[in-house]
Amino acid sequence: MTTVRCDMTTSLDGFVCGPAALGPPYVDDGFHRVTRWITEVFSWRERHGQAGGTKSADDEIAAEMVDGAGAYVMGRRMFDSGEEPWGDTPPFRAPVFVVTHREREPLHRNGGTTFYFVTEGVRAAIDRAKVTAGDRDVHVSGGADIVTQAVSDGLVDDLHLHVAPVLLGGGTRLFDGLRPGIVELAKVRVVDSAQVTHLSYRFSRGMR
Amino acid sequence: MTTVRCDMTTSLDGFVCGPAALGPPYVDDGFHRVTRWITEVFSWRERHGQAGGTKSADDEIAAEMVDGAGAYVMGRRMFDSGEEPWGDTPPFRAPVFVVTHREREPLHRNGGTTFYFVTEGVRAAIDRAKVTAGDRDVHVSGGADIVTQAVSDGLVDDLHLHVAPVLLGGGTRLFDGLRPGIVELAKVRVVDSAQVTHLSYRFSRGMR
């Protein structure tokens, strides 16, 4: 069965980026600071066509993320932000379903990545990604709003939070506008590394 | 030298209590859920005059908290919320400096607890607590607003976040209104337990 997972890196105060990332290109110093752990590891760099990188606990986590992914779901702003830097050979090597309000023909790239534009919302995008992923995982990659919607709607199985030891004091919060109510998760794994702490949880299907 | 520490338990989405705790008595199901780990351990129960309790990694963390404390600082709402349940023999066994806008004579209780009411703000309360604590720790106990103020003003040395595997989707957020800016912390320790994950950080003095 396909597992729907989210991997989000946040600051200690729950932000995925700082206040300067509220407009295009949706990245800023705060974003670069919290995501630094992954941009420094071997497997991420290899996927992005960059040489070098560390082999560490962080690298193993990053490798697990990309190796298991059969399809991706992301928001339109994340796509807009990434389209140019990802270039002709994006790091996904799998179908990517972009949740957007704007119809658009699929965008085929090298290396196995095709972007499909889904105008029926995050649930429809995840459903289409599941069909494509087969037995592999569906990754809801972000941004924060898409992940929050997917969690609110009970569409996520596994939540992986990578917590950077930094406070931002502003920006875009993960889980801002999450549906209220006490939702229990099962803690699956905690991996500590020099850069971040990796917290993995599973939603209890019955409790959503 | 006295260390100023904060111990806060939050949900995965950063709330210390749910939305029903916004008014007196400032506790609700969300608060009880996130703090359940500590109310079940031996050392906390012993301090609160309750029998039983587990002896576990969580208990060791709780014991370390209370054993090291030479003085406490808290907000007025936390005091109001606790005054009655804490009773004649509050769990602190040390001076407690309550940050409030209302002048009030010190309130002496059994077992070594005296509540002093400080109208000059959180910095003044921490300064007075430091003098009293000697070589022991000053605990900024809460609520969320006092801790956020103390962190914003660079008054905290050690931050201990106890993260419960639960989402609340609303309530009082720790670090709401924190001063914006990238603040680096050094990760000191991660202790995982069945109930929560204990994340300990130290502020770099030069970076605040």
Side-chain angles (χ1 to χ4, degrees):
Chain A
M1 200 187 74
T2 300
T3 296
V4 179
R5 68 181 273 170
C6 299
D7 281 85
M8 294 297 280
T9 302
T10 71
S11 65
L12 275 180
D13 50 346
F15 293 101
V16 299
C17 57
L22 295 180
Y26 307 110
V27 294
D28 69 348
D29 288 348
F31 174 80
H32 291 303
R33 173 59 193 88
V34 299
T35 59
R36 191 170 69 199
W37 72 274
I38 197 165
T39 61
E40 291 182 352
V41 301
F42 175 83
S43 56
W44 189 93
R45 296 182 68 84
E46 189 272 335
R47 277 282 178 136
H48 287 75
Q50 297 174 19
T54 56
K55 296 209 175 191
S56 58
D58 292 334
D59 184 52
E60 286 173 31
I61 298 272
E64 180 188 287
M65 283 167 55
V66 295
D67 292 346
Y72 293 81
V73 171
M74 69 177 60
R76 194 265 308 162
R77 280 183 296 199
M78 182 170 170
F79 170 76
D80 283 352
S81 164
E83 185 177 5
E84 193 179 302
W86 291 327
D88 289 339
T89 311
F92 306 103
R93 305 181 189 173
V96 180
F97 296 87
V98 180
V99 181
T100 176
H101 293 291
R102 189 178 38 146
E103 302 262 3
R104 183 170 168 179
E105 288 300 302
L107 179 65
H108 301 285
R109 296 296 205 191
N110 299 329
T113 301
T114 297
F115 296 97
Y116 297 94
F117 300 88
V118 181
T119 55
E120 299 86 12
V122 65
R123 182 185 292 269
I126 289 174
D127 284 345
R128 287 184 60 184
K130 277 181 172 175
V131 171
T132 308
D135 287 338
R136 303 180 78 192
D137 296 341
V138 168
H139 277 230
V140 183
S141 302
D145 55 340
I146 290 290
V147 169
T148 303
Q149 279 180 51
V151 168
S152 278
D153 289 348
L155 305 173
V156 176
D157 300 305
D158 290 358
L159 176 65
H160 302 270
L161 292 179
H162 313 282
V163 181
V166 63
L167 295 167
L168 295 185
T172 299
R173 260 196 226 269
L174 182 62
F175 298 137
D176 204 19
L178 191 71
R179 186 170 297 167
I182 298 177
V183 176
E184 299 278 345
L185 295 90
K187 187 148 45 68
V188 174
R189 188 177 69 178
V190 172
V191 176
D192 193 31
S193 81
Q195 293 256 21
V196 279
T197 308
H198 307 278
L199 305 174
S200 297
Y201 302 90
R202 183 156 294 154
F203 286 93
S204 312
R205 289 220 173 246
M207 307 196 75
R208 280 181 295 174
Chain B
M1 203 187 76
T2 301
T3 296
V4 178
R5 67 182 273 169
C6 300
D7 282 84
M8 294 296 281
T9 302
T10 71
S11 64
L12 274 180
D13 49 347
F15 294 103
V16 298
C17 57
L22 295 179
Y26 307 109
V27 295
D28 69 348
D29 288 348
F31 174 81
H32 291 304
R33 173 59 193 87
V34 299
T35 58
R36 190 170 70 198
W37 73 275
I38 197 165
T39 62
E40 291 182 352
V41 301
F42 175 83
S43 56
W44 188 92
R45 297 182 68 84
E46 188 271 337
R47 277 282 178 135
H48 287 75
Q50 297 174 19
T54 54
K55 296 209 174 190
S56 58
D58 291 333
D59 184 51
E60 286 172 31
I61 298 274
E64 179 188 287
M65 282 165 56
V66 297
D67 292 346
Y72 293 82
V73 171
M74 68 177 60
R76 194 265 307 163
R77 280 182 297 199
M78 181 169 171
F79 170 76
D80 284 353
S81 164
E83 185 177 4
E84 193 177 302
W86 291 327
D88 290 337
T89 311
F92 305 102
R93 305 182 190 171
V96 179
F97 296 87
V98 180
V99 181
T100 176
H101 293 290
R102 190 179 38 147
E103 302 262 3
R104 183 170 167 180
E105 288 299 303
L107 179 64
H108 300 284
R109 296 296 205 191
N110 299 329
T113 301
T114 296
F115 296 98
Y116 297 93
F117 300 89
V118 180
T119 55
E120 299 85 10
V122 65
R123 182 184 292 269
I126 289 175
D127 284 345
R128 288 184 59 184
K130 277 181 172 176
V131 171
T132 308
D135 287 338
R136 303 181 79 193
D137 296 341
V138 168
H139 276 230
V140 182
S141 302
D145 55 340
I146 289 290
V147 169
T148 302
Q149 280 181 50
V151 168
S152 279
D153 290 347
L155 305 173
V156 176
D157 300 305
D158 290 358
L159 176 65
H160 303 269
L161 292 179
H162 313 281
V163 180
V166 63
L167 295 168
L168 296 184
T172 299
R173 260 197 226 270
L174 182 62
F175 298 136
D176 204 19
L178 191 71
R179 186 171 298 168
I182 298 178
V183 177
E184 299 279 343
L185 294 89
K187 186 147 50 64
V188 174
R189 188 177 68 178
V190 172
V191 176
D192 192 32
S193 81
Q195 294 255 20
V196 279
T197 309
H198 307 278
L199 306 173
S200 297
Y201 301 91
R202 183 157 295 154
F203 286 93
S204 311
R205 289 219 173 246
M207 307 197 72
R208 281 183 293 171

